Amino acid sequence: MSSIDIEIKLDTESQFYERQKELKDAWLKAWPTGKRYDVRCLTGGAWDRSSSLGMFASLGEAIERCHQDIALYGCM
């Protein structure tokens, strides 16, 4: 068995906080309220988990998606 030599380079503290700020800014650009509403359903598309029907910036959009036609698969 061969050995694997992995080198891990840690960010400096300033790099870490800069990356955190960039990630937070990207999140708030996509989800202005700071909240994301995930809609999931047991459609039968996957045997071991629910299927994602989307991610929405507002509760109203998420509820609207729940009321739309949902394709069911398999024996459902």
Side-chain angles (χ1 to χ4, degrees), residues 11-53:
D11 288 345
T12 64
E13 187 174 349
S14 62
Q15 290 171 324
F16 172 81
Y17 284 114
E18 180 61 31
R19 188 173 73 252
Q20 292 301 309
K21 183 184 178 322
E22 290 170 2
L23 292 171
K24 183 178 180 180
D25 291 345
W27 176 272
L28 291 174
K29 183 177 179 184
W31 320 111
T33 63
K35 297 177 184 175
R36 179 181 77 189
Y37 298 90
D38 293 354
V39 177
R40 302 190 66 83
C41 184
L42 297 173
T43 63
W47 67 272
D48 61 344
R49 63 191 170 279
S50 58
S51 298
S52 175
L53 298 180

